[in-house]
Amino acid sequence: MSDALKHECGIALVRLLKPLEYYKEKYGTAFYGVNKMYLMMEKQHNRGQDGAGFASIKLDVNPGERYISRVRSNAAQPIQDIFAQINERINLEFSEHPEYKDSVAAQKKNIPYIGELFLGHVRYGTFGLNSVENVHPFLRQNNWMHRNLIIAGNFNMTNTNELFDTLIKLGMHPKEKADTVTVMEKIGHFLDDAVRKLYKKAKAKGLSKQEASPYIAKHLNVAKILRRSAADWDGGYAMAGLLGHGDAFVLRDPAGIRPAYYYQDDEVVVVASERPAIQTVFNVPFEEVKELDPGNAIIIEKNGTMKLAEILPPLERKSCSFERIYFSRGSDAEIYQERKMLGKLVMPKVLESIDHDTENSVFSFIPNTAETSFYGMLEAAQDELNKQKNEAILNEKDSLTTARLQQIQAHKIRTEKIAIKDVKLRTFITDDSSRDDLVAHVYDVTYGVVKPNDNLVIIDDSIVRGTTLKKSILKMLDRLHPKQIVVVSSAPQIRYPDCYGIDMARLEHLVAFQAALALHKDRGTYGIVEEIYHKCKEQVVMEDASVINHVKELYAPFSDEEISDKISEIISDEDIKAKVKLIFQSVDDLHKACPKNLGDWYFTGNYPTAGGNRVVNRAYINFFEGNPERAY
């Protein structure tokens, strides 16, 4: 993605099902779980670069022995920083106590981070400061083992204010309004309630207070706690949690907006945000890694039993298509094919824009996530070229010479590595007056491969704000002096804010929104902007289920092509000599390419939860009133 856009967070959960001695015997180390967690988090590094956290739990420890360990970092390389700290502590213990090396029991008792249950998180925050206090996992502590709660997730709630108010009504005093805190405290409240009720039952059975603790741990109904906790959540989430005594869970939202995959064998239960992370780290085939169904939870009991439970009734499945276009690693077999198909399906529009002149066209991509779509576009271009060759041969069959046949067959699709990102320049900060000139050099270009009569076709995976295109990429490409620059987006036009985890909260930052406003000005219909504002304001007091997305009315008068052409104008400075053409994927073709992930609210305005319509209207009100606050 040429525009900087924060990624999704990633979760990793590992539960070892055998005694630690088993892993020492088979794999040579009792730190098998720690090592696997490092790999699981690194394999999801693409999902978070401003923070990471790790927590572990030891099972069946004696009173007075530490059983929960946690480390978090917001360093420049947070995953490496976390495991450097862990490694340093382990080495220190071995250095001071060499006798631990031959005793797994001594290691478990005395060395932190070793254990049977692990939770990791990589963070790309969409809200809140980038401080270590905002890095997951979050910990809710208690002297009762089973009331300790560790939470990490990939999520955003649209109704954080309402959830916060609910906690207040329950008599609580949350330390802040962040959705992670409100979610954790909601689960914690019902966990506490369940513990109290089980304690009363234990007491009625004549059990002592000491005997009550294992009774409570054995009989806790995690599924019931989650049903009560999540009843009024509105958002997209894959929520992972550990209880101090050893139960664990991962809960996915009812629309399946955020992803979660799992794998189980006789040694481990593993959950992650991405399937390839599990496949690679545990060397298992594609078909053995399962997707967690929307509205369901994986619950791993302290005794190692894993079960699936429906927590909330599933809604219409609207899994985030941006996962397929951009966020998830393309090493997933399905995602790789889907991204190639995105490139193929957009190719007919590209051919039309260049008048099917494949001889005088150079094809390339903007690094690096658009590369797979580029391969799909290339396959479609090759199909077109083969068609052109066949037609030429058939048309000239009566006069065809060997030399002419060789000339026809020699025609190849011209592909080049055109744009090369200079990462060093992205972190340079200066005053606004000279910043634009510096931004223009974020990408280098390859000289000498484009002729003055060429079309230069560049595919990107998505265009959000258009800022990098306008200030950097187009200026650099224009230095190659093509007659036309065709920028292709493998995603449709992004018209609406996201409220489920992607950092696209403000409408006025979206270049498609700017284009619609400009078209209304051009046509003398700008009055609709205020009309929509009043309609949005009228709905502020309404229940979420009754709210309508009135922002759709802003786009309704215009075709996709009209908005694309206006975006082309917006991102093209007067000093760009080449003709600039923008081509976007259609929503219909997006669904053909990604048939299992039909979440498209940022393109269509069709939000999968009731809170989405309230958020988009609030974003519009903020735009109209000049309010820079987020809409959720």
Side-chain angles (χ1 to χ4, degrees):
M1 184 178 295
S2 55
D3 285 320
L5 185 63
K6 291 185 176 180
H7 300 213
E8 293 299 312
C9 298
I11 58 173
L13 185 150
V14 172
R15 168 64 154 90
L16 303 183
L17 300 178
K18 303 281 189 181
L20 293 180
E21 287 80 5
Y22 172 90
Y23 304 95
K24 170 71 171 175
E25 178 69 23
K26 183 173 181 178
Y27 299 106
T29 176
F31 291 91
Y32 174 83
V34 177
N35 294 338
K36 291 298 185 184
M37 280 298 297
Y38 169 70
L39 293 171
M40 289 282 288
M41 293 172 68
E42 275 292 359
K43 293 301 179 182
Q44 297 182 101
H45 186 193
N46 55 300
R47 305 185 70 85
Q49 294 176 4
D50 65 11
F54 169 97
S56 63
I57 289 180
K58 305 173 189 282
L59 302 182
D60 300 317
V61 302
N62 297 318
E65 295 177 1
R66 182 178 178 182
Y67 57 96
I68 294 177
S69 298
R70 180 179 63 146
V71 57
R72 299 180 293 173
S73 174
N74 63 340
Q77 299 293 329
I79 299 173
Q80 291 88 333
D81 182 48
I82 283 172
F83 286 93
Q85 293 182 53
I86 293 173
N87 191 54
E88 182 179 358
R89 179 61 187 276
I90 292 170
N91 288 337
L92 177 64
E93 293 290 342
F94 281 149
S95 174
E96 295 181 351
H97 302 279
E99 67 274 14
Y100 290 172
K101 290 187 177 181
D102 296 324
S103 173
V104 173
Q107 292 175 23
K108 178 175 176 179
K109 179 179 179 180
N110 297 290
I111 301 179
Y113 310 116
I114 190 173
E116 294 89 355
L117 184 56
F118 307 90
L119 179 60
H121 187 265
V122 289
R123 178 181 188 266
Y124 235 137
T126 58
F127 187 64
L129 298 174
N130 182 26
S131 66
V132 74
E133 287 78 15
N134 289 316
V135 176
H136 301 204
F138 279 42
L139 172 62
R140 190 177 192 261
Q141 291 182 290
N142 196 284
N143 278 333
W144 286 57
M145 182 178 279
H146 31 256
R147 290 172 68 171
N148 282 282
L149 176 64
I150 303 171
I151 289 289
N154 169 16
F155 67 97
N156 264 125
M157 298 299 176
T158 71
N159 60 336
T160 300
N161 290 335
E162 290 80 358
L163 295 175
F164 182 83
D165 292 341
T166 300
L167 295 178
I168 302 301
K169 292 175 183 176
L170 290 172
M172 301 175 70
H173 190 93
K175 61 182 180 180
E176 57 181 297
K177 196 178 280 191
D179 52 6
T180 308
V181 173
T182 55
V183 164
M184 181 174 67
E185 292 301 334
K186 192 75 178 294
I187 298 173
H189 169 78
F190 288 111
L191 173 61
D192 290 345
D193 187 58
V195 169
R196 281 192 296 268
K197 290 176 179 176
L198 284 170
Y199 177 71
K200 288 182 180 179
K201 287 185 178 180
K203 197 172 181 182
K205 290 178 178 289
L207 300 178
S208 68
K209 291 182 179 179
Q210 189 172 353
E211 292 169 331
S213 285
Y215 173 86
I216 292 169
K218 182 178 179 180
H219 291 90
L220 266 178
N221 187 334
V222 175
K224 184 176 180 180
I225 293 169
L226 293 177
R227 289 186 189 105
R228 298 180 72 189
S229 303
D232 54 356
W233 292 355
D234 187 289
Y237 49 88
M239 191 79 61
L242 313 180
L243 304 186
H245 67 279
D247 283 355
F249 66 85
V250 176
L251 170 62
R252 192 178 184 194
D253 67 87
I257 296 170
R258 300 273 69 91
Y261 296 88
Y262 67 95
Y263 166 75
Q264 179 187 25
D265 60 23
D266 63 340
E267 293 184 352
V268 292
V269 178
V270 190
V271 189
S273 294
E274 296 192 31
R275 177 166 32 207
I278 300 175
Q279 285 185 255
T280 301
V281 173
F282 290 90
N283 191 27
V284 294
F286 175 94
E287 58 274 7
E288 290 189 20
V289 182
K290 309 298 182 184
E291 184 176 4
L292 179 60
D293 288 336
N296 278 243
I298 295 170
I299 297 172
I300 310 165
E301 296 179 352
K302 189 248 180 182
N303 63 12
T305 301
M306 190 202 86
K307 59 185 179 182
L308 301 174
E310 183 179 295
I311 304 303
L312 295 169
L315 302 173
E316 182 182 1
R317 182 186 168 100
K318 290 290 183 180
S319 300
C320 177
S321 57
F322 249 121
E323 286 284 349
R324 323 302 282 188
I325 297 167
Y326 175 59
F327 290 130
S328 295
R329 288 196 180 199
S331 54
D332 183 288
E334 284 187 345
I335 291 175
Y336 183 79
Q337 294 302 325
E338 288 170 4
R339 289 182 182 173
K340 283 187 70 175
M341 184 57 67
L342 287 169
K344 286 182 179 180
L345 292 175
V346 79
M347 194 59 188
K349 292 182 182 178
V350 176
L351 292 170
E352 184 179 341
S353 71
I354 62 173
D355 295 324
H356 293 259
D357 184 5
T358 56
E359 186 171 352
N360 296 299
S361 297
V362 176
F363 296 87
S364 192
F365 59 93
I366 300 175
N368 278 325
T369 53
E371 185 174 5
T372 306
S373 295
F374 170 72
Y375 291 143
M377 187 173 72
L378 198 58
E379 287 185 7
Q382 189 61 54
D383 291 342
E384 167 66 18
L385 181 57
N386 290 340
K387 178 183 174 183
Q388 292 177 5
K389 289 180 178 180
N390 290 340
E391 289 177 353
I393 292 171
L394 290 173
N395 289 338
E396 302 177 33
K397 64 180 185 296
D398 295 333
S399 59
L400 198 61
T401 64
T402 300
R404 174 57 179 152
L405 181 60
Q406 289 177 342
Q407 182 184 25
I408 294 172
Q409 296 287 19
H411 183 187
K412 296 179 180 179
I413 295 296
R414 296 166 60 198
T415 62
E416 303 290 350
K417 186 70 175 282
I418 294 292
I420 304 160
K421 196 170 187 178
D422 192 339
V423 179
K424 299 184 297 295
L425 292 175
R426 293 202 62 86
T427 57
F428 188 84
I429 305 299
T430 186
D431 59 285
D432 291 341
S433 61
S434 56
R435 182 173 177 80
D436 285 356
D437 181 59
L438 288 164
V439 170
H441 293 274
V442 166
Y443 285 86
D444 289 333
V445 289
T446 304
Y447 293 95
V449 295
V450 176
K451 303 192 299 288
N453 63 331
D454 279 340
N455 300 295
L456 179 53
V457 180
I458 298 283
I459 190 167
D460 194 352
D461 41 42
S462 55
I463 298 168
V464 185
R465 294 176 289 272
T467 307
T468 308
L469 275 174
K470 180 182 179 72
K471 294 184 176 181
S472 175
I473 294 172
L474 289 179
K475 290 182 178 179
M476 296 298 285
L477 297 180
D478 195 54
R479 294 181 182 182
L480 302 177
H481 307 297
K483 69 175 180 182
Q484 180 180 217
I485 301 171
V486 181
V487 180
V488 185
S489 170
S490 66
Q493 298 163 2
I494 299 170
R495 300 181 173 190
Y496 304 92
D498 182 75
C499 52
Y500 305 117
I502 305 173
D503 190 22
M504 298 189 302
R506 295 178 61 181
L507 270 169
E508 62 269 28
H509 288 172
L510 305 179
V511 70
F513 183 79
Q514 298 167 19
L517 294 177
L519 285 169
H520 280 295
K521 286 181 180 177
D522 293 346
R523 300 187 182 185
T525 56
Y526 200 77
I528 194 175
V529 175
E530 185 170 354
E531 292 175 15
I532 294 172
Y533 166 73
H534 290 300
K535 289 180 180 179
C536 293
K537 288 286 283 187
E538 289 169 1
Q539 295 190 105
V540 169
V541 296
M542 296 171 60
E543 295 290 330
D544 284 355
S546 302
V547 174
I548 297 171
N549 178 2
H550 284 295
V551 183
K552 289 183 177 183
E553 297 167 25
L554 187 79
Y555 298 100
F558 312 120
S559 67
D560 291 352
E561 289 71 24
E562 287 172 322
I563 292 176
S564 295
D565 290 344
K566 180 54 71 172
I567 295 174
S568 298
E569 291 181 27
I570 291 173
I571 65 173
S572 301
D573 283 345
E574 293 180 0
D575 57 349
I576 293 179
K577 298 178 176 59
K579 176 185 176 183
V580 176
K581 174 74 173 177
L582 240 63
I583 295 173
F584 288 87
Q585 188 78 256
S586 71
V587 173
D588 286 344
D589 283 343
L590 169 70
H591 291 169
K592 289 178 186 176
C594 308
K596 296 180 182 178
N597 289 56
L598 301 177
D600 60 7
W601 53 93
Y602 16 70
F603 309 127
T604 64
N606 299 327
Y607 287 87
T609 74
N613 288 334
R614 173 174 47 79
V615 168
V616 68
N617 285 349
R618 168 52 62 187
Y620 190 89
I621 292 169
N622 288 349
F623 145 73
F624 191 87
E625 295 179 350
N627 182 354
E629 292 183 359
R630 300 172 67 91
Y632 59 93

